[in-house]
Amino acid sequence: MKNILIFTKLTVQEAFTRKIFIFFFGVSVFILLLMSIIFLSADLEQMLPVLSISKSNGIDLVAELVRAIKMIIIAPLYGIGLFLSVFSVSSFIPNMLEKGNIELLLSNPVSRAQILLGKFFGGVLVVFINLLFLIAGIWVLTGLKFGIWEASILYAVLTITFTFAVLYGLIILLGILSRSSVLAMMVTYLIFLIVSPLLAGREKLALLIKNETVKGLLDVLYYIFPKTSEMGNITMLASTGGVVENFQPVITSFLFMILTLYISIIIFNKKDY
Amino acid sequence: MNPVEIKNITKIFKSNLGKVKITALNGFSLSVPGGTIFGLLGPNGAGKTTLVKILLGSVFPTSGTAKILNEDISNYKIRSKVGYLPENHKFPPFLTGEGVLKLFAELKGVKDKNLNYKIDELLDLVGMLKWKKVKMKKYSKGMMQRLGLAQALVNDPELIFLDEPTDGIDPIGRKEIRDILLSLKEKGKTIFLNSHLLSEVELVCDRIAMLDKGNLIKEGSVEELTTSKKIYTLQLDGELPPGLFNAEMKLLDNSTYQVHVTGLTELNSIIDVIRAKGINIISVNPQKTSLEDSFISIIGEAKNSNKNA
């Protein structure tokens, strides 16, 4: 455990040095400042039409407004946040495997699995800290402005970090296999932005496909690949106070993460450096 | 118990889906006695670095076994008692000199209340104390090398592997590193040294092994390897009559001869003849060669025998 923590700390230090923290911190501060300015300059009456909320009987306008604001922020944050996070961590493994560095690391009384898990938790921690800062900041600002301290938005920290962890497992596997950060990044983006959304809509695709084998194959692929599209929906639902009823995307994505990490460790344990 | 015991070690690297096979180490055995400085020599591609990497767990042997400090090399925990300076090593560029030593002390499991003091001592030993707060990206090659040596010593190891430790270091620095190695030997440490600089190896090593194309060509003490068994200098108290011997004999000065023989039997026959002539022998000394000459000759012989085979 201690060795895993050492590598986790080292990865966080690496993120600091490579200005990943400063970049995310800067983006978060910018978003929070922008929100503060809007909140200070606009009142409730001005915000309602902008957010397409109309006054009607039985609706808590303030709660509706806060919900709309959360949706406006969380939806792009999920996509852009994950995109930037994948970009920022993709070189962690290839850097570690560089000649001259990996021999030194392996000459220590640490197992290869500990090194890899340390790198994994380090990357996840970096993204978690940055998301927590931004989303907790949004929660505080909306709380101060509207007096609604409903904390469901904080679930987004967990769901986005979880989705990132699933993708990071894949990045680690690809990094171990190829030692190329570019390849790891491209394949991860392919799955995140194209494969997963396509497979999420496989039922619609199935209407166009007559071959039962292909339909079956799509089903198999759907359950194998991480469900970033569905995780986006879960994030929106959870962070706006909705109830998540279907945990299948969470469970299968989690299994995908465990599998990629497990395969990464097996391959890493057998490779010469 | 020898700190390093290698038995029938073989390493075959495969590439192109196993179509191309390169034998880096070809089934040899080797022991490194404790408290010595052991030099591993060989031309580029001889397998020196591969051997060290196998011993330290970054490369797996294809067959054979090896032990360090009486533990199988697969037991990674034994590396807490080992120090290692790889060739062309890289430290995390965001760490300072002090940070590097703290990181590796942590990784080696060093539990020393006086770690900060010890780190200062080590940095001072390698002449890097002034640079302790400076980040790696500002370090020169020589400075990296000095810090690498301090890193290899941070856990007070029993066994130290150094791959080209004086690479990029000026002559004065090399002398300092040699002195450090000798003082470590005095403290009972075992040092396994990979180097191309034969003159340096000759100055510090007790025993040497020579590798070529993955084969162990020769192993022995520096004395054994630099002493010719075929050329002797004979000092007599008189001159020899001409044409006395079939063996090649060269007069060096008044009564000193250099003789080329095929072995000890021929040398003793020559001595018998000289004595029979009533000439006294003052001394018989085997010819000393530099390690470099010896290395070139041994590797050359190995190449010739490979060609003839």
Side-chain angles (χ1 to χ4, degrees):
Chain A
M1 190 64 192
K2 191 187 149 228
N3 290 332
I4 294 176
L5 285 176
I6 293 171
F7 282 99
T8 302
K9 192 176 102 184
L10 195 65
T11 309
V12 174
Q13 272 181 296
E14 186 178 347
F16 258 110
T17 317
R18 291 176 51 217
K19 316 283 190 282
I20 293 170
F21 263 106
I22 292 173
F23 174 75
F24 280 121
F25 181 75
V27 170
S28 301
V29 168
F30 176 75
I31 293 170
L32 295 174
L33 276 175
L34 199 67
M35 273 186 75
S36 306
I37 292 165
I38 293 169
F39 284 177
L40 285 171
S41 56
D43 61 24
L44 194 63
E45 291 297 321
Q46 288 171 305
M47 285 184 191
L48 291 175
V50 175
L51 297 170
S52 308
I53 299 168
S54 54
K55 289 181 182 178
S56 54
N57 288 339
I59 291 181
D60 180 348
L61 283 175
V62 177
E64 196 62 21
L65 183 68
V66 170
R67 190 175 163 275
I69 290 170
K70 284 176 182 174
M71 283 183 79
I72 279 177
I73 293 165
I74 296 298
L77 179 67
Y78 179 79
I80 297 169
L82 280 177
F83 185 89
L84 293 176
S85 301
V86 166
F87 180 79
S88 60
V89 303
S90 60
S91 62
F92 280 178
I93 296 296
N95 281 353
M96 181 189 80
L97 298 179
E98 271 185 18
K99 202 170 156 51
N101 184 42
I102 187 68
E103 300 96 309
L104 256 181
L105 295 180
L106 294 176
S107 71
N108 292 295
V110 291
S111 72
R112 294 186 181 206
Q114 287 171 334
I115 297 176
L116 220 54
L117 289 175
K119 280 274 160 195
F120 174 74
F121 290 124
V124 172
L125 188 62
V126 168
V127 171
F128 175 78
I129 292 168
N130 283 297
L131 281 172
L132 185 66
F133 175 70
L134 175 60
I135 294 174
I138 294 167
W139 177 63
V140 170
L141 284 180
T142 50
L144 289 172
K145 172 75 179 172
F146 303 106
I148 293 180
W149 292 97
E150 201 256 326
S152 58
I153 191 173
L154 296 176
Y155 284 126
V157 179
L158 299 178
T159 55
I160 300 176
T161 305
F162 170 75
T163 313
F164 166 76
V166 173
L167 293 175
Y168 189 35
L170 179 66
I171 292 171
I172 288 178
L173 175 61
L174 294 166
I176 293 287
L177 284 171
S178 69
R179 297 193 193 193
S180 161
S181 54
V182 177
L183 184 79
M185 205 162 55
M186 284 168 68
V187 174
T188 307
Y189 284 144
L190 183 77
I191 288 173
F192 168 39
L193 300 170
I194 297 172
V195 175
S196 176
L198 264 178
L199 291 172
R202 74 196 188 290
E203 282 166 0
K204 284 178 190 166
L205 274 176
L207 296 173
L208 306 169
I209 300 164
K210 288 179 183 171
N211 190 319
E212 288 302 315
T213 314
V214 177
K215 285 181 188 175
L217 183 69
L218 282 177
D219 273 341
V220 170
L221 290 175
Y222 171 76
Y223 286 105
I224 290 174
F225 280 107
K227 281 135 203 85
T228 53
S229 202
E230 287 87 336
M231 283 308 301
N233 296 335
I234 289 174
T235 301
M236 290 301 296
L237 200 61
S239 60
T240 51
V243 178
V244 180
E245 288 171 345
N246 180 12
F247 284 93
Q248 175 272 121
V250 180
I251 294 164
T252 50
S253 297
F254 178 75
L255 291 175
F256 177 84
M257 181 185 80
I258 297 293
L259 185 70
T260 50
L261 283 176
Y262 180 68
I263 297 171
S264 303
I265 289 170
I266 288 177
I267 295 171
F268 190 42
N269 270 332
K270 290 185 174 175
K271 270 202 162 189
D272 290 330
Y273 292 100
Chain B
M1 176 200 84
N2 290 316
V4 180
E5 287 283 359
I6 298 162
K7 280 188 186 158
N8 300 319
I9 206 91
T10 297
K11 178 65 191 176
I12 298 167
F13 288 108
K14 292 175 186 170
S15 63
N16 281 359
L17 300 170
K19 285 178 197 163
V20 179
K21 290 181 180 176
I22 298 160
T23 305
L25 299 175
N26 196 9
F28 63 82
S29 301
L30 188 68
S31 297
V32 176
T36 59
I37 303 183
F38 188 91
L40 190 61
L41 306 179
N44 291 336
K48 308 184 296 290
T49 300
T50 302
L51 180 63
V52 173
K53 283 184 174 183
I54 285 176
L55 294 174
L56 288 163
S58 58
V59 170
F60 297 102
T62 306
S63 64
T65 57
K67 283 184 175 185
I68 52 176
L69 302 171
N70 214 24
E71 286 284 342
D72 191 272
I73 49 169
S74 59
N75 177 8
Y76 65 84
K77 288 181 180 166
I78 194 63
R79 293 177 212 145
S80 62
K81 295 176 185 173
V82 175
Y84 178 39
L85 168 64
E87 190 182 12
N88 298 323
H89 59 280
K90 280 181 191 162
F91 293 127
F94 48 89
L95 292 179
T96 61
E98 184 185 30
V100 164
L101 295 195
K102 277 190 178 165
L103 169 69
F104 283 93
E106 257 188 298
L107 286 172
K108 295 280 186 192
V110 176
K111 288 170 189 159
D112 191 340
K113 285 176 189 168
N114 302 317
L115 183 62
N116 287 336
Y117 174 74
K118 196 179 165 187
I119 283 173
D120 281 359
E121 235 182 20
L122 276 173
L123 287 170
D124 194 31
L125 179 73
V126 297
M128 292 296 295
L129 190 57
K130 276 193 288 186
W131 291 79
K132 89 176 208 182
K133 299 284 182 194
V134 178
K135 287 191 175 169
M136 287 302 100
K137 52 189 173 188
K138 302 239 167 122
Y139 278 38
S140 69
K141 165 92 178 159
M143 289 156 82
M144 285 289 279
Q145 208 64 13
R146 285 166 183 265
L147 186 73
L149 183 60
Q151 170 275 137
L153 304 177
V154 75
N155 54 331
D156 193 20
E158 291 175 33
L159 175 62
I160 305 155
F161 291 89
L162 305 172
D163 203 344
E164 304 293 348
T166 54
D167 196 16
I169 291 184
D170 58 68
I172 296 168
R174 283 180 189 174
K175 166 81 169 68
E176 287 167 4
I177 288 179
R178 280 202 303 270
D179 291 344
I180 292 171
L181 300 187
L182 291 170
S183 74
L184 287 168
K185 188 181 95 166
E186 273 176 27
K187 288 178 190 165
K189 313 285 184 191
T190 307
I191 300 166
F192 193 104
L193 182 68
N194 267 8
S195 181
H196 286 112
L197 296 171
L198 303 180
S199 54
E200 281 189 20
V201 170
E202 191 172 2
L203 286 171
V204 294
C205 287
D206 302 296
R207 289 188 72 77
I208 285 168
M210 290 185 191
L211 294 187
D212 185 38
K213 292 178 183 164
N215 295 301
L216 180 65
I217 306 291
K218 199 101 178 172
E219 195 210 337
S221 67
V222 174
E223 181 72 18
E224 285 164 9
L225 293 176
T226 55
T227 305
S228 171
K229 285 177 181 147
K230 293 183 179 175
I231 307 171
Y232 291 84
T233 307
L234 304 182
Q235 198 183 359
L236 312 176
D237 76 348
E239 277 190 31
L240 290 172
L244 188 63
F245 299 111
N246 291 329
E248 192 186 326
M249 209 143 194
K250 190 172 150 193
L251 182 65
L252 296 178
D253 62 42
N254 285 342
S255 54
T256 308
Y257 293 83
Q258 190 183 61
V259 60
H260 289 247
V261 292
T262 52
L264 281 177
T265 314
E266 192 183 5
L267 177 70
N268 279 294
S269 309
I270 289 170
I271 290 169
D272 290 344
V273 173
I274 293 169
R275 292 291 300 123
K277 290 279 173 194
I279 299 168
N280 289 326
I281 296 170
I282 298 168
S283 65
V284 180
N285 290 310
Q287 178 83 32
K288 282 271 180 187
T289 55
S290 70
L291 185 60
E292 189 167 300
D293 289 338
S294 173
F295 175 78
I296 290 166
S297 150
I298 291 166
I299 296 293
E301 277 174 28
K303 276 184 183 157
N304 286 337
S305 65
N306 279 347
K307 272 183 197 168
N308 296 335

Short mmCIF file of all heavy atoms in Angstrom, two decimals, chain B residues 256-294:
data_model
loop_
_atom_site.label_atom_id
_atom_site.label_comp_id
_atom_site.label_asym_id
_atom_site.label_seq_id
_atom_site.Cartn_x
_atom_site.Cartn_y
_atom_site.Cartn_z
N THR B 256 69.46 -9.24 -20.08
CA THR B 256 68.02 -9.44 -19.89
C THR B 256 67.39 -9.85 -21.21
O THR B 256 67.61 -9.20 -22.24
CB THR B 256 67.36 -8.14 -19.36
OG1 THR B 256 68.10 -7.70 -18.22
CG2 THR B 256 65.92 -8.36 -18.98
N TYR B 257 66.66 -10.95 -21.14
CA TYR B 257 66.06 -11.51 -22.37
C TYR B 257 64.54 -11.58 -22.24
O TYR B 257 64.02 -11.81 -21.15
CB TYR B 257 66.58 -12.94 -22.61
CG TYR B 257 68.06 -12.99 -22.93
CD1 TYR B 257 69.02 -12.96 -21.93
CD2 TYR B 257 68.48 -13.08 -24.27
CE1 TYR B 257 70.36 -12.99 -22.21
CE2 TYR B 257 69.84 -13.12 -24.56
CZ TYR B 257 70.77 -13.08 -23.53
OH TYR B 257 72.10 -13.12 -23.83
N GLN B 258 63.91 -11.39 -23.39
CA GLN B 258 62.46 -11.62 -23.42
C GLN B 258 62.24 -12.89 -24.22
O GLN B 258 62.76 -13.00 -25.34
CB GLN B 258 61.75 -10.46 -24.11
CG GLN B 258 60.24 -10.52 -23.97
CD GLN B 258 59.55 -9.40 -24.73
OE1 GLN B 258 59.68 -9.29 -25.94
NE2 GLN B 258 58.86 -8.55 -24.01
N VAL B 259 61.48 -13.81 -23.62
CA VAL B 259 61.31 -15.09 -24.29
C VAL B 259 59.82 -15.39 -24.51
O VAL B 259 58.99 -15.15 -23.64
CB VAL B 259 62.00 -16.23 -23.48
CG1 VAL B 259 61.43 -16.36 -22.08
CG2 VAL B 259 61.88 -17.55 -24.20
N HIS B 260 59.52 -15.82 -25.75
CA HIS B 260 58.14 -16.21 -26.08
C HIS B 260 58.06 -17.73 -26.04
O HIS B 260 58.82 -18.40 -26.73
CB HIS B 260 57.77 -15.72 -27.49
CG HIS B 260 57.61 -14.24 -27.56
ND1 HIS B 260 56.41 -13.63 -27.79
CD2 HIS B 260 58.51 -13.24 -27.40
CE1 HIS B 260 56.58 -12.31 -27.78
NE2 HIS B 260 57.86 -12.06 -27.54
N VAL B 261 57.17 -18.25 -25.21
CA VAL B 261 57.06 -19.71 -25.08
C VAL B 261 55.61 -20.13 -25.30
O VAL B 261 54.71 -19.30 -25.30
CB VAL B 261 57.53 -20.18 -23.69
CG1 VAL B 261 59.02 -19.99 -23.51
CG2 VAL B 261 56.75 -19.47 -22.59
N THR B 262 55.44 -21.43 -25.47
CA THR B 262 54.06 -21.93 -25.66
C THR B 262 53.40 -22.21 -24.32
O THR B 262 52.19 -22.30 -24.23
CB THR B 262 54.07 -23.22 -26.50
OG1 THR B 262 55.00 -24.12 -25.91
CG2 THR B 262 54.45 -22.95 -27.94
N GLY B 263 54.22 -22.34 -23.28
CA GLY B 263 53.64 -22.60 -21.97
C GLY B 263 54.75 -22.82 -20.94
O GLY B 263 55.94 -22.65 -21.23
N LEU B 264 54.31 -23.21 -19.74
CA LEU B 264 55.27 -23.36 -18.63
C LEU B 264 56.29 -24.48 -18.88
O LEU B 264 57.45 -24.39 -18.46
CB LEU B 264 54.52 -23.63 -17.34
CG LEU B 264 53.89 -22.40 -16.67
CD1 LEU B 264 53.11 -22.82 -15.44
CD2 LEU B 264 54.96 -21.37 -16.31
N THR B 265 55.88 -25.52 -19.58
CA THR B 265 56.79 -26.66 -19.83
C THR B 265 57.99 -26.17 -20.64
O THR B 265 59.15 -26.47 -20.30
CB THR B 265 56.04 -27.75 -20.61
OG1 THR B 265 54.79 -27.95 -19.99
CG2 THR B 265 56.81 -29.05 -20.66
N GLU B 266 57.70 -25.39 -21.68
CA GLU B 266 58.79 -24.89 -22.53
C GLU B 266 59.68 -23.93 -21.74
O GLU B 266 60.91 -23.96 -21.86
CB GLU B 266 58.23 -24.20 -23.78
CG GLU B 266 59.32 -23.93 -24.80
CD GLU B 266 58.83 -23.18 -26.04
OE1 GLU B 266 57.65 -22.77 -26.07
OE2 GLU B 266 59.63 -22.99 -26.96
N LEU B 267 59.05 -23.11 -20.90
CA LEU B 267 59.82 -22.16 -20.09
C LEU B 267 60.79 -22.91 -19.18
O LEU B 267 61.98 -22.55 -19.08
CB LEU B 267 58.88 -21.28 -19.25
CG LEU B 267 59.56 -20.30 -18.31
CD1 LEU B 267 60.23 -19.17 -19.10
CD2 LEU B 267 58.57 -19.71 -17.31
N ASN B 268 60.29 -23.96 -18.54
CA ASN B 268 61.14 -24.74 -17.63
C ASN B 268 62.27 -25.45 -18.37
O ASN B 268 63.39 -25.58 -17.87
CB ASN B 268 60.30 -25.72 -16.82
CG ASN B 268 59.65 -25.01 -15.65
OD1 ASN B 268 60.35 -24.55 -14.75
ND2 ASN B 268 58.34 -24.86 -15.68
N SER B 269 62.00 -25.89 -19.58
CA SER B 269 63.05 -26.52 -20.39
C SER B 269 64.16 -25.51 -20.67
O SER B 269 65.37 -25.83 -20.59
CB SER B 269 62.50 -27.01 -21.73
OG SER B 269 61.38 -27.78 -21.52
N ILE B 270 63.75 -24.28 -21.00
CA ILE B 270 64.72 -23.22 -21.30
C ILE B 270 65.58 -22.95 -20.06
O ILE B 270 66.81 -22.85 -20.14
CB ILE B 270 63.99 -21.94 -21.76
CG1 ILE B 270 63.42 -22.17 -23.17
CG2 ILE B 270 64.92 -20.73 -21.76
CD1 ILE B 270 62.47 -21.10 -23.64
N ILE B 271 64.90 -22.88 -18.91
CA ILE B 271 65.63 -22.63 -17.66
C ILE B 271 66.64 -23.75 -17.39
O ILE B 271 67.80 -23.50 -17.01
CB ILE B 271 64.63 -22.47 -16.48
CG1 ILE B 271 63.87 -21.15 -16.64
CG2 ILE B 271 65.33 -22.50 -15.13
CD1 ILE B 271 62.68 -20.98 -15.72
N ASP B 272 66.20 -25.00 -17.66
CA ASP B 272 67.10 -26.15 -17.45
C ASP B 272 68.35 -26.02 -18.32
O ASP B 272 69.48 -26.26 -17.86
CB ASP B 272 66.37 -27.47 -17.80
CG ASP B 272 65.30 -27.78 -16.76
OD1 ASP B 272 65.34 -27.16 -15.67
OD2 ASP B 272 64.41 -28.59 -17.05
N VAL B 273 68.15 -25.62 -19.57
CA VAL B 273 69.29 -25.50 -20.51
C VAL B 273 70.24 -24.39 -20.04
O VAL B 273 71.47 -24.57 -20.03
CB VAL B 273 68.78 -25.22 -21.94
CG1 VAL B 273 69.94 -24.92 -22.89
CG2 VAL B 273 67.97 -26.39 -22.45
N ILE B 274 69.64 -23.27 -19.61
CA ILE B 274 70.47 -22.14 -19.14
C ILE B 274 71.30 -22.56 -17.93
O ILE B 274 72.50 -22.30 -17.84
CB ILE B 274 69.58 -20.91 -18.80
CG1 ILE B 274 68.94 -20.36 -20.07
CG2 ILE B 274 70.40 -19.80 -18.12
CD1 ILE B 274 67.86 -19.33 -19.82
N ARG B 275 70.63 -23.26 -17.02
CA ARG B 275 71.33 -23.71 -15.81
C ARG B 275 72.43 -24.71 -16.16
O ARG B 275 73.53 -24.70 -15.59
CB ARG B 275 70.33 -24.38 -14.84
CG ARG B 275 69.32 -23.42 -14.23
CD ARG B 275 69.92 -22.43 -13.24
NE ARG B 275 70.54 -23.11 -12.11
CZ ARG B 275 71.81 -22.92 -11.77
NH1 ARG B 275 72.59 -22.12 -12.48
NH2 ARG B 275 72.31 -23.54 -10.72
N ALA B 276 72.13 -25.56 -17.15
CA ALA B 276 73.12 -26.57 -17.57
C ALA B 276 74.36 -25.90 -18.17
O ALA B 276 75.46 -26.45 -18.10
CB ALA B 276 72.48 -27.51 -18.59
N LYS B 277 74.17 -24.71 -18.72
CA LYS B 277 75.31 -23.97 -19.27
C LYS B 277 76.08 -23.24 -18.18
O LYS B 277 77.05 -22.53 -18.46
CB LYS B 277 74.81 -22.93 -20.30
CG LYS B 277 74.27 -23.54 -21.58
CD LYS B 277 75.40 -23.91 -22.52
CE LYS B 277 74.84 -24.69 -23.72
NZ LYS B 277 75.91 -25.34 -24.47
N GLY B 278 75.62 -23.36 -16.93
CA GLY B 278 76.31 -22.74 -15.80
C GLY B 278 76.02 -21.26 -15.64
O GLY B 278 76.75 -20.54 -14.96
N ILE B 279 74.95 -20.81 -16.30
CA ILE B 279 74.60 -19.37 -16.17
C ILE B 279 73.54 -19.23 -15.07
O ILE B 279 72.53 -19.95 -15.07
CB ILE B 279 74.06 -18.82 -17.51
CG1 ILE B 279 75.12 -18.95 -18.60
CG2 ILE B 279 73.60 -17.36 -17.37
CD1 ILE B 279 74.63 -18.71 -20.00
N ASN B 280 73.83 -18.30 -14.15
CA ASN B 280 72.86 -18.09 -13.06
C ASN B 280 71.67 -17.26 -13.53
O ASN B 280 71.82 -16.34 -14.34
CB ASN B 280 73.53 -17.38 -11.88
CG ASN B 280 74.49 -18.31 -11.18
OD1 ASN B 280 74.24 -19.52 -11.10
ND2 ASN B 280 75.61 -17.77 -10.71
N ILE B 281 70.51 -17.62 -12.99
CA ILE B 281 69.30 -16.85 -13.31
C ILE B 281 68.99 -15.93 -12.13
O ILE B 281 68.84 -16.39 -11.00
CB ILE B 281 68.11 -17.80 -13.58
CG1 ILE B 281 68.41 -18.66 -14.82
CG2 ILE B 281 66.80 -17.02 -13.77
CD1 ILE B 281 67.44 -19.79 -15.04
N ILE B 282 68.91 -14.64 -12.41
CA ILE B 282 68.63 -13.67 -11.33
C ILE B 282 67.12 -13.57 -11.10
O ILE B 282 66.65 -13.60 -9.97
CB ILE B 282 69.24 -12.29 -11.67
CG1 ILE B 282 70.77 -12.42 -11.78
CG2 ILE B 282 68.85 -11.23 -10.63
CD1 ILE B 282 71.46 -11.23 -12.37
N SER B 283 66.37 -13.48 -12.20
CA SER B 283 64.90 -13.42 -12.03
C SER B 283 64.18 -13.90 -13.29
O SER B 283 64.73 -13.82 -14.39
CB SER B 283 64.45 -11.99 -11.71
OG SER B 283 64.71 -11.14 -12.80
N VAL B 284 62.95 -14.42 -13.06
CA VAL B 284 62.05 -14.80 -14.17
C VAL B 284 60.72 -14.11 -13.89
O VAL B 284 60.08 -14.37 -12.87
CB VAL B 284 61.83 -16.34 -14.22
CG1 VAL B 284 60.89 -16.69 -15.38
CG2 VAL B 284 63.13 -17.08 -14.33
N ASN B 285 60.33 -13.21 -14.78
CA ASN B 285 59.08 -12.47 -14.55
C ASN B 285 58.13 -12.59 -15.74
O ASN B 285 58.56 -12.39 -16.88
CB ASN B 285 59.37 -10.98 -14.33
CG ASN B 285 60.05 -10.73 -13.01
OD1 ASN B 285 59.60 -11.20 -11.97
ND2 ASN B 285 61.19 -10.05 -13.06
N PRO B 286 56.89 -12.94 -15.46
CA PRO B 286 55.93 -12.94 -16.58
C PRO B 286 55.71 -11.51 -17.08
O PRO B 286 55.75 -10.56 -16.28
CB PRO B 286 54.66 -13.51 -15.96
CG PRO B 286 54.79 -13.31 -14.51
CD PRO B 286 56.25 -13.27 -14.18
N GLN B 287 55.50 -11.38 -18.36
CA GLN B 287 55.29 -10.06 -18.95
C GLN B 287 53.93 -9.50 -18.54
O GLN B 287 52.92 -10.21 -18.60
CB GLN B 287 55.33 -10.20 -20.48
CG GLN B 287 55.08 -8.94 -21.26
CD GLN B 287 56.33 -8.10 -21.41
OE1 GLN B 287 57.44 -8.63 -21.48
NE2 GLN B 287 56.18 -6.79 -21.45
N LYS B 288 53.91 -8.26 -18.10
CA LYS B 288 52.63 -7.61 -17.74
C LYS B 288 52.10 -6.87 -18.96
O LYS B 288 52.84 -6.21 -19.67
CB LYS B 288 52.87 -6.59 -16.62
CG LYS B 288 53.02 -7.21 -15.26
CD LYS B 288 51.67 -7.34 -14.62
CE LYS B 288 51.78 -7.97 -13.24
NZ LYS B 288 50.46 -8.24 -12.70
N THR B 289 50.79 -7.00 -19.18
CA THR B 289 50.17 -6.20 -20.25
C THR B 289 49.09 -5.34 -19.63
O THR B 289 48.64 -5.61 -18.51
CB THR B 289 49.52 -7.12 -21.31
OG1 THR B 289 48.59 -7.97 -20.64
CG2 THR B 289 50.53 -7.94 -22.07
N SER B 290 48.72 -4.31 -20.34
CA SER B 290 47.61 -3.49 -19.81
C SER B 290 46.32 -4.28 -20.00
O SER B 290 46.23 -5.17 -20.84
CB SER B 290 47.52 -2.16 -20.56
OG SER B 290 47.07 -2.40 -21.87
N LEU B 291 45.32 -3.92 -19.22
CA LEU B 291 44.04 -4.61 -19.34
C LEU B 291 43.46 -4.40 -20.74
O LEU B 291 42.84 -5.30 -21.31
CB LEU B 291 43.06 -4.09 -18.28
CG LEU B 291 41.72 -4.81 -18.19
CD1 LEU B 291 41.90 -6.29 -17.88
CD2 LEU B 291 40.82 -4.17 -17.16
N GLU B 292 43.74 -3.21 -21.28
CA GLU B 292 43.22 -2.91 -22.61
C GLU B 292 43.81 -3.87 -23.65
O GLU B 292 43.09 -4.44 -24.45
CB GLU B 292 43.55 -1.47 -22.97
CG GLU B 292 42.86 -1.01 -24.22
CD GLU B 292 42.95 0.50 -24.38
OE1 GLU B 292 42.45 1.20 -23.49
OE2 GLU B 292 43.53 0.94 -25.38
N ASP B 293 45.15 -4.06 -23.59
CA ASP B 293 45.79 -4.98 -24.54
C ASP B 293 45.27 -6.39 -24.33
O ASP B 293 45.01 -7.12 -25.29
CB ASP B 293 47.32 -4.97 -24.34
CG ASP B 293 47.92 -3.66 -24.81
OD1 ASP B 293 47.27 -2.99 -25.64
OD2 ASP B 293 49.02 -3.31 -24.35
N SER B 294 45.14 -6.75 -23.06
CA SER B 294 44.67 -8.08 -22.74
C SER B 294 43.25 -8.28 -23.27
O SER B 294 42.92 -9.31 -23.87
CB SER B 294 44.72 -8.24 -21.22
OG SER B 294 44.15 -9.42 -20.84
#
